[in-house]
Amino acid sequence: MGKQLEQISIALGGNPNSGKTTLFNSLTGARQHVGNYPGVTVEKKEGFASQNGTNVHIVDLPGTYSLTAYSQDEVVARDFLTESKNEAVVNIVDASNLERNLYLTVQLLELGVPVCLALNMVDVAESRGITIDDKKLSNLMEIPVIPTIARTGKGKEELLNKAIEMAGDAKPSRNFSISYGDDLDEALNEMETIILKSNFLIGSYPARWVGIKYLEKDELVIEKGDKINKAVSSDLIKIVESVSKHLKNTLNTYPEALISDYRYGYISSILKQGVVKRSHEENRLELSDKIDKVVTNRFLGPLIMAAIIYGLYQFVFTYSEAPVVWFENFFGWLNGLASDNMSDGLLKSLVVSGIIDGVGGVLGFVPLIMFMFFGISILEDSGYLARVAFMLDKVFAAFGLHGNSVMAFIVSGGIAGGCAVPGVMASRTLKSPREKLATLLTVPFMNCGAKLPVMALLVGAFFGKNEALMMLLITVIAWGGALLVAKLLRMTVISGPPTPFVMELPPYRLPTMRGLLTHTWERTWQYIKKAGTVILGISIILWAMMTFPGLPESDLAVFENQRNEVMEAASAEAVQELEAAADNDEAELSEAAAAVQDQLFQIDGREAEKALRHSVAGSIGTALEPVSKAAGFDWRTNIALVGGFAAKEVVVSTLGTAYSMGEVDPEETGSLGEALQKSPGWNPLVALSLILFTIFYAPCFVTVVAIAREAGSWKWAGFSMVFNTALAFGVAATVYQIGSATGFLIG
Ligand code: GDP
Ligand code: MG
């Protein structure tokens, strides 16, 4: 027995779905997410528990099956265990699936950390007729074992007491090692000697562990080793190479496989010694297995999956419609309020177009994000998402993506009309960093709801006869482009081996409403908190770009004079009528008054057009014209595309302004379409070029901010802006040039 400490630190580790989060909550009382998808715990969670005067600091490690370097979660867990001082590691294992769970335990012990086993879900095991002799397990593995039921908190006191006791124990954790067979053992001994002699990497790791990692070809450890002592590192690699060759020749296997075989062998030898007893029928099919027989069936599986994914999509975008409209109406009302009560001028323009639109832009996505996370939480917590990943992994892996990428693509507009912001956030379910990055960077190509008005305008105006076919083509191009670009990125800037599919299929569970709501709210709040301020800031900058420097006095005077002339020429009745109508939107105008009003609108339109051209955005658009001509775009289109960075549908309203038509409502584009048809710079080829550009170019800035958050760096957000725009321009210019040369679509 050691002395009692004032404060100790323990880490909580275990497989996904072992009940880690539940135990953590039960110990710390903190409000946390309880999920059912492998590895949901990415963020580091910490909490405190008090027990008999000892303050216990608990860190919840990411759920992992292993401590290799395959996934970010594993690396995070491993680094934390070796780099920070943990006085005890509580390893929570699922008693109903002990063999699988102890695989991690073996690796924790090899890492030399003091392990206390929380034998969790003993109730589940019992209901399946499995009894575990915890005393025997403890004796055989030489570690403390405490049976627990995390759901009810049973056993947690005893567990804490044991952890505190371990932390107080002065004696170092025992040297744990298992045999990996003659060949590997010999190699390991040889390596251990070299490692100890040259003090190689053993500040934080046990010598034998370093050897094992070299045998497993662990990239991160070898990289570290190379940096510290290249010569020793090469010596170790030589040993690994020679034993690998020997294994290949004699057993036709490789070290990693053998290591894993022996670990399982060790575990099963322990379990077979009377640790696990089953009372009834050994091969009884569990309910989950029965469901899986149907749900992952070769023929039925994909059908069920398609139906569920389509259902999720419908759920997200249909049910969020009402709240989206409430938000829109609210901000419309706010906008009206500001417009009516503020005097014309810059401040009003800033409040209305910069701030209210900006805040609206942030909050407008909230219903979508909430519904998306709610839907995904159901799939995740029930265990179905793991099946989707499992079934689709082969297809997506061919493009360097992951089975789980599908959610992000669908939500982003894989079925036209989605939104890339919740789509990017859906990539959170991807645990392997490279696949996740490739997904993040390509989902913006999907046909989001904001691109649809742009497509509808162009297709309606120039491909009216083949509308449906064109829309289908656009979806196909978006998917094809996304998958090909993903493949390209995975072969170049984010190259690296695919993450092996090590996920197990967790048992199906009925999600709890509380769990779903907590999960949904946490993610949504994170979006508002983390992305909100940045989005508002950028919205104001974009407003400024479209507004400043404004027209010089002399120009303003010209338009004012034109208005005055119209008013002077108008009859007294018409003027009176218009003044009356200004206070009453419903008023019917006489023909004469309507003609006057129309003239005034046209002057306003020309003024707005001139001011836009004069703005910073206008200067950019004009300056880019010599280049953009290659894709058929003039300065007007360029400005609209700059505006589209705020939100894709702004392309439509900005085109409206640029063609002196005032702000065009993205939902009623008929007259703008006609104007474009008549305009000399336009023909179907230009429209096609612009359609292609719109599919591929820089995502809207809300998406860019979301990408930065999810990728964890602005570097990749910047990359997506530059790369996507360059790609879009390349595609559009190629099509336009070929079309111009061959006369295709120019009518
Ligand atoms: P994690 O992935 O390891 O964090 O696992 P969770 O804590 O999210 O638990 C997964 C599921 O198992 C949840 O539905 C929990 O309510 C449930 N669970 C956790 N511990 C127990 C337990 O001891 N008994 C039972 N019956 N269910 C449990
Ligand atoms: Mg968890």
Side-chain angles (χ1 to χ4, degrees):
M1 261 294 224
K3 62 177 191 326
Q4 284 242 317
L5 300 179
E6 295 286 64
Q7 155 135 13
I8 65 161
S9 272
I10 65 176
L12 188 58
N15 286 15
N17 292 301
S18 54
K20 230 161 44 61
T21 307
T22 313
L23 179 66
F24 180 75
N25 290 348
S26 165
L27 290 175
T28 62
R31 207 175 59 103
Q32 294 286 341
H33 158 64
V34 178
N36 193 31
Y37 187 74
V40 129
T41 325
V42 199
E43 296 101 356
K44 178 176 167 190
K45 288 185 189 156
E46 299 175 78
F48 282 94
S50 292
Q51 179 85 341
N52 304 331
T54 303
N55 209 8
V56 186
H57 172 229
I58 307 172
V59 174
D60 187 20
L61 296 176
T64 61
Y65 296 112
S66 182
L67 291 177
T68 46
Y70 281 145
S71 80
Q72 223 163 14
D73 286 353
E74 294 179 347
V75 175
V76 167
R78 183 167 104 179
D79 287 351
F80 184 79
L81 287 171
T82 50
E83 279 159 20
S84 60
K85 213 179 119 302
N86 299 291
E87 286 144 309
V89 175
V90 170
N91 175 202
I92 179 166
V93 295
D94 175 352
S96 66
N97 194 1
L98 201 51
E99 184 164 8
R100 177 82 195 235
N101 277 247
L102 288 178
Y103 192 73
L104 178 69
T105 314
V106 169
Q107 295 181 65
L108 287 171
L109 290 170
E110 282 183 323
L111 197 51
V113 297
V115 175
C116 170
L117 215 60
L119 186 64
N120 193 37
M121 304 224 192
V122 283
D123 57 329
V124 179
E126 211 164 286
S127 74
R128 293 188 194 165
I130 304 171
T131 347
I132 313 263
D133 185 340
D134 55 286
K135 305 275 178 324
K136 198 168 249 170
L137 181 63
S138 170
N139 285 338
L140 289 170
M141 291 194 82
E142 298 177 53
I143 49 174
V145 176
I146 315 287
T148 59
I149 302 176
R151 240 186 199 175
T152 61
K154 188 172 169 291
K156 71 171 180 182
E157 306 269 313
E158 209 184 323
L159 186 66
L160 272 182
N161 286 336
K162 189 49 97 182
I164 294 169
E165 187 187 317
M166 280 182 91
D169 252 336
K171 79 172 188 295
S173 54
R174 83 202 159 89
N175 238 333
F176 174 93
S177 78
I178 59 176
S179 164
Y180 287 114
D182 286 346
D183 293 329
L184 288 185
D185 280 351
E186 195 184 309
L188 275 172
N189 287 342
E190 207 181 322
M191 291 164 91
E192 218 176 322
T193 314
I194 299 180
I195 291 166
L196 287 173
K197 202 172 67 199
S198 46
N199 236 337
F200 180 74
L201 278 178
I202 51 179
S204 32
Y205 314 124
R208 190 176 162 89
W209 188 83
V210 174
I212 294 172
K213 289 296 134 180
Y214 266 78
L215 283 171
E216 287 179 333
K217 307 201 174 58
D218 186 292
E219 282 176 34
L220 294 181
V221 170
I222 295 179
E223 204 175 285
K224 241 186 209 167
D226 279 347
K227 233 181 257 160
I228 283 178
N229 192 335
K230 183 81 192 172
V232 174
S233 190
S234 325
D235 285 349
L236 296 180
I237 289 172
K238 262 184 223 130
I239 297 175
V240 171
E241 276 167 359
S242 113
V243 71
S244 299
K245 208 154 131 206
H246 179 73
L247 289 178
K248 183 87 202 143
N249 290 336
T250 54
L251 299 170
N252 194 22
T253 185
Y254 44 97
E256 297 101 298
L258 210 54
I259 288 175
S260 139
D261 285 352
Y262 272 91
R263 280 182 187 148
Y264 276 119
Y266 166 81
I267 294 166
S268 83
S269 78
I270 285 185
L271 297 186
K272 281 206 182 103
Q273 298 176 52
V275 171
V276 183
K277 290 204 188 71
R278 291 170 198 270
S279 64
H280 40 259
E281 330 96 274
E282 281 278 337
N283 317 333
R284 188 187 107 211
L285 271 187
E286 300 297 342
L287 180 62
S288 281
D289 297 328
K290 283 186 200 151
I291 299 176
D292 267 343
K293 279 228 146 152
V294 180
V295 158
T296 59
N297 174 283
R298 268 185 41 206
F299 302 103
L300 272 180
L303 290 179
I304 295 174
M305 181 173 64
I308 290 182
I309 289 178
Y310 186 73
L312 175 83
Y313 176 86
Q314 285 294 329
F315 169 77
V316 172
F317 291 99
T318 312
Y319 288 104
S320 66
E321 217 165 80
V324 165
V325 171
W326 299 334
F327 271 83
E328 275 175 3
N329 288 347
F330 174 73
F331 283 100
W333 170 80
L334 209 61
N335 231 322
L337 197 71
S339 301
D340 292 345
N341 293 305
M342 295 179 70
S343 50
D344 280 343
L346 267 185
L347 185 63
K348 173 172 168 178
S349 167
L350 170 68
V351 170
V352 171
S353 308
I355 297 176
I356 296 180
D357 280 1
V359 176
V362 176
L363 297 184
F365 288 104
V366 165
L368 279 182
I369 288 172
M370 288 184 75
F371 277 84
M372 194 267 310
F373 275 133
F374 190 81
I376 288 192
S377 297
I378 296 177
L379 298 191
E380 199 174 310
D381 290 7
S382 66
Y384 185 69
L385 195 61
R387 272 76 183 178
V388 171
F390 177 77
M391 282 185 278
L392 283 177
D393 199 58
K394 279 221 168 61
V395 183
F396 278 84
F399 296 97
L401 298 166
H402 183 275
N404 268 345
S405 307
V406 71
M407 282 303 153
F409 278 101
I410 298 288
V411 171
S412 295
I415 302 174
C419 174
V421 176
V424 162
M425 299 185 76
S427 75
R428 203 170 284 220
T429 55
L430 287 155
K431 294 302 165 192
S432 35
R434 296 191 194 97
E435 281 86 351
K436 175 175 173 175
L437 204 48
T439 307
L440 281 179
L441 293 175
T442 48
V443 292
F445 296 154
M446 295 291 114
N447 250 316
C448 71
K451 286 180 193 172
L452 287 183
V454 186
M455 302 303 180
L457 166 72
L458 296 171
V459 171
F462 295 97
F463 303 94
K465 286 197 200 95
N466 303 310
E467 216 154 330
L469 184 70
M470 268 314 273
M471 289 316 263
L472 179 68
L473 192 66
I474 288 170
T475 305
V476 172
I477 291 173
W479 269 100
L483 293 179
L484 288 178
V485 169
K487 182 79 191 163
L488 178 78
L489 292 175
R490 290 287 277 111
M491 285 174 4
T492 54
V493 281
I494 25 181
S495 65
T499 310
F501 204 78
V502 283
M503 195 168 52
E504 94 166 354
L505 300 179
Y508 288 103
R509 287 203 178 88
L510 208 58
T512 64
M513 197 41 132
R514 184 159 174 269
L516 293 177
L517 292 178
T518 317
H519 193 168
T520 304
W521 176 244
E522 276 182 358
R523 266 80 198 273
T524 309
W525 178 238
Q526 233 173 28
Y527 160 79
I528 299 176
K529 205 172 52 178
K530 287 190 177 168
T533 42
V534 186
I535 292 170
L536 180 60
I538 298 179
S539 168
I540 292 175
I541 293 173
L542 281 172
W543 163 82
M545 282 174 65
M546 311 277 276
T547 307
F548 289 107
L551 286 176
E553 288 293 325
S554 55
D555 282 333
L556 289 175
V558 171
F559 289 109
E560 201 48 44
N561 281 340
Q562 288 180 4
R563 272 188 284 264
N564 290 339
E565 277 164 31
V566 169
M567 290 305 261
E568 273 158 29
S571 66
E573 293 86 43
V575 172
Q576 222 170 22
E577 218 181 309
L578 282 176
E579 271 164 11
D583 298 328
N584 177 7
D585 298 338
E586 313 283 285
E588 286 268 332
L589 291 179
S590 67
E591 220 167 280
V596 174
Q597 194 182 42
D598 193 46
Q599 277 179 307
L600 290 175
F601 276 154
Q602 283 185 14
I603 297 169
D604 287 350
R606 283 201 298 277
E607 182 176 1
E609 179 202 332
K610 192 150 192 186
L612 181 61
R613 182 160 198 183
H614 198 74
S615 70
V616 175
S619 312
I620 295 175
T622 312
L624 286 177
E625 202 177 63
V627 182
S628 69
K629 268 282 166 229
F633 307 152
D634 66 2
W635 65 269
R636 289 183 171 90
T637 308
N638 292 348
I639 300 178
L641 289 170
V642 173
F645 182 60
K648 292 282 150 89
E649 73 267 22
V650 173
V651 169
V652 173
S653 52
T654 313
L655 272 178
T657 308
Y659 281 90
S660 313
M661 302 188 57
E663 287 224 353
V664 168
D665 181 349
E667 293 181 0
E668 288 162 40
T669 56
S671 52
L672 177 59
E674 278 166 35
L676 294 186
Q677 276 172 345
K678 284 187 213 125
S679 165
W682 283 86
N683 57 45
L685 181 60
V686 176
L688 178 65
S689 169
L690 184 55
I691 287 173
L692 291 171
F693 192 85
T694 306
I695 293 177
F696 290 111
Y697 91 108
C700 73
F701 76 86
V702 185
T703 305
V704 172
V705 173
I707 291 177
R709 296 295 173 203
E710 280 309 317
S713 99
W714 282 95
K715 190 184 89 183
W716 287 110
F719 176 86
S720 86
M721 287 169 61
V722 175
F723 173 79
N724 290 14
T725 307
L727 173 77
F729 187 70
V731 172
T734 307
V735 168
Y736 183 76
Q737 291 303 326
I738 294 176
S740 304
T742 57
F744 176 65
L745 285 182
I746 303 178

